[in-house]
Amino acid sequence: MRNTGSWRRLIAALIILCTALMPGAAQAEVKYPTFTKDSYGNLIWLQPAYYPMGVLGGDLTAPEGNGSTARIPSPMRNPKDIFIDANNEVYIADTGNNRIVHMTEQGKLIRYLTLPESPLQKPEGVFVTSKGEIYIADTGNKRVVKLGPDGKLQQEFGRPDSRYISETFTYDPAKVMVDERGFLYIAVHGGYEGLVLLDPRGKFQGFFGANRTALSPLDALKRMLYTKQMYANEVAKKPETINSVATDQNGYIYTVTGGMTKSDQLKKLNTKGANLLRSSVKSFGESRPGDAAAAAAAAASTTAQGAPTPQLIDVAVDRSGNMVVVDQQFKYISHYDYAGNLLYFWGGPSAAGSSQVGLLKSPAALDINSRSELFVLDDQENIVQVFRLSEFGQKVDEANQLTLAGNYNGSEKPWGDVLRMNAQFTPAILGLAKAAFHKEDYPKAQALFKEAGDREGYSESFWQIRMLWFQSNFSWIASLTVFGSVLFLAAGRWTAGMSFRARWSRRSEPRSSFLRSLKHAFYILKHPVDGFTAVRYEGKGTYASALVLLAAVYLALVFKESVTGFAFNMTSMVDVYTLFLQSFIVWAGWVFSNHLVSSIYRGEGRFRDIVIGSSYVFVPYIVVGVPLALLSNGMTLSEESVYSMVLTGMTLWTGLLLFWKVQFIHNYSVGETVINIVLTLCTMLVIGVLLFVTGGLTSDLLSLIREMLQEVVNR
């Protein structure tokens, strides 16, 4: 019996030990966080999508030489690129050792490629075709070399000779990619013209995928005001250089860009060079709030704005078309689906002076094998970290692949599993919305698309709901329309000679001056010239009516922001206090500045006239804005042009009323009115700058006085 009890205790101890050593326990020790962002940009914590599997390249050796069979440690030095071929074998551009390291996916060395007959010098890029041909960006030798599967030199691609390449062009290949046709796409250091495109024989075909020049508002102003000679003397603004290039099984070409670029850092290009991710209208390379400030404090190099921005250094694409980019600035790895929508991002910098599994010191490149395992190259640690998908990541990958394949019914269960793991994961909500739409459950799809922040999906679902409703109710809608029209015309003819219509047309003006002023505000909409002239010379309008209209305009703005349909306004919460302060400050600044300018610039309007007139001009926001907000709930994005036209018309109407107000209250000509408005806007700008500076100085003065008082008290 004692032996039986001992065995039971031993078995229990073994079970506890095995449980403690299960992957789940190791997963809990992941040193890096994982996040996603919802449709409104809010940060959402996720369970890890990837777990570290191990490290490659830390135990490389090489023959000792001198005929000895012994091997000595030969670690990588400043490696710059990694490539996983069709057999999941790993190629690393070991830049500091002037070689290409070829190893198995487990990290076992297969060979070193050094090209003895024409030695490599600081190679920074490597690419392997499906046929086993190896292309190397031999940066130090200013060439790209093509090796056969046996590692023998087959072809060299030096600086292309073409009249389309300027003499100042520097040919320093950094990365290389080869498509199925054998065409080479070469990223060069400082090559703002784009990728160098060569045919299989090395003939120059042009530059491909160049970035646009980023111009600041100040640059745009200089181009408007400077002469050609003056602008030519400015420092030339050039596009940022492409850092890396990759391709997928469908032949799309992917590039990443760093530098000061704040949008289009990641591109998905077709063979014509058109960016297929333009519809995303966003920047790529994720970070958390506060990362930029922390990096600015720790890093010596910052952008011109003083805050670091993500520096995407490499891109990899899995078999589903999902894109993975690595950021050298904040050390995050960001995952996007085929359309550029964020899935999740994770990682972070390793602590100074120590190495932590999963965290990065200086990520230089990454790639993905056929099992979606991620290989990340660190050129400071001189190793490759390998990561595998977690259960959560596998579910996301499975569901995403089914969605991409159009199997929406099949994707519903895995997306549901993902959502049970994390109820805030926006891609899962979007996947379920697509599944509901495919099943023609349009109300559910509409609700899910709204939760996911997808305006297009929401609009399409609502269009289907609206169309089905019209189809089922068309008969009585048409009957009611015809019957109502006939009844209206008949009632008009029948009451044409009745006395009440004559009394209504001869009705007298309201006795209250307040009501007459409100009525005059709406009269101005149809007769602005007579209306504003009456405000100035006949005393029409009161302060009370102006304040009431201002309050009504503010309420109309709040109503518009909160009631406008989701297809045209994704705002989930209206900050009524900020909206009030912004509206009141702009209106008060205009009134005060216009009064100052008009007093100097021959204006005849009194302060009272300016206040009343500046209130009446915003009546279109009530007359048009409120009905438009209500109607937008019955509109889809297919009617966006109509919505935009009405909104633009309302703004132009308000602008014209403001122009006529200045002209007829101050008795200006057209030219004088334009000058008055420009001077008023300039005055508003000057007052705003003075208030900002004064506020800052006052705050500093108060801080100084407070510190002096504390010093006196402490002594």
Side-chain angles (χ1 to χ4, degrees), residues 545-621:
S545 63
L547 292 176
V548 168
L549 283 174
L550 282 178
V553 169
Y554 167 70
L555 293 176
L557 291 174
V558 173
F559 185 85
K560 176 180 175 296
E561 289 296 319
S562 56
V563 176
T564 299
F566 179 77
F568 304 100
N569 182 18
M570 293 177 60
T571 303
S572 59
M573 183 179 298
V574 181
D575 188 345
V576 293
Y577 301 105
T578 301
L579 183 61
F580 173 78
L581 287 176
Q582 291 174 344
S583 305
F584 178 77
I585 288 173
V586 171
W587 179 84
W590 165 268
V591 169
F592 184 69
S593 301
N594 189 250
H595 178 63
L596 290 178
V597 171
S598 303
S599 299
I600 300 171
Y601 191 62
R602 301 189 303 277
E604 297 182 6
R606 300 164 296 180
F607 181 75
R608 171 187 179 278
D609 305 327
I610 296 173
V611 170
I612 295 171
S614 298
S615 303
Y616 287 3
V617 298
F618 292 106
V619 173
Y621 277 88

Side-chain angles (χ1 to χ4, degrees), residues 672-686:
E672 290 173 331
T673 304
V674 172
I675 294 173
N676 179 280
I677 292 175
V678 171
L679 292 176
T680 299
L681 294 175
C682 292
T683 304
M684 291 176 65
L685 179 62
V686 171

Side-chain angles (χ1 to χ4, degrees), residues 39 71 96-97 264 295-296 350 356 424 471 502 522 593 629 648-649 691:
S39 54
R71 300 183 70 86
N97 288 319
D264 286 338
S350 179
Q356 297 173 285
Q424 295 179 295
Q471 286 177 347
F522 290 91
S593 301
T648 303
L691 289 176

Side-chain angles (χ1 to χ4, degrees), residues 11 103 182 195 204 283 328-329 371 428 433 583 624 659 703:
I11 292 172
M103 62 178 74
L195 300 172
F204 180 69
S283 61
Q328 205 172 46
Q329 177 66 56
R371 292 188 295 274
S583 305
V624 179
F659 184 89
S703 299

Side-chain angles (χ1 to χ4, degrees), residues 97 135 148 176 274 293 391 428 456 468 497 513 517 528 555 601 634-635 659 675 696:
N97 288 319
Y135 290 79
V176 60
E391 181 185 1
E456 289 78 11
L468 292 173
S513 60
S517 298
L555 293 176
Y601 191 62
M635 302 170 68
F659 184 89
I675 294 173

Side-chain angles (χ1 to χ4, degrees), residues 628-650:
L628 182 62
L630 290 171
L631 289 173
S632 67
N633 290 276
M635 302 170 68
T636 67
L637 288 178
S638 58
E639 294 93 38
E640 186 175 17
S641 58
V642 177
Y643 178 86
S644 300
M645 181 184 68
V646 176
L647 196 64
T648 303
M650 180 184 70

Side-chain angles (χ1 to χ4, degrees), residues 5 336 379 383 489 622:
Y336 302 92
D379 65 358
I383 56 172
L489 294 174
I622 304 172

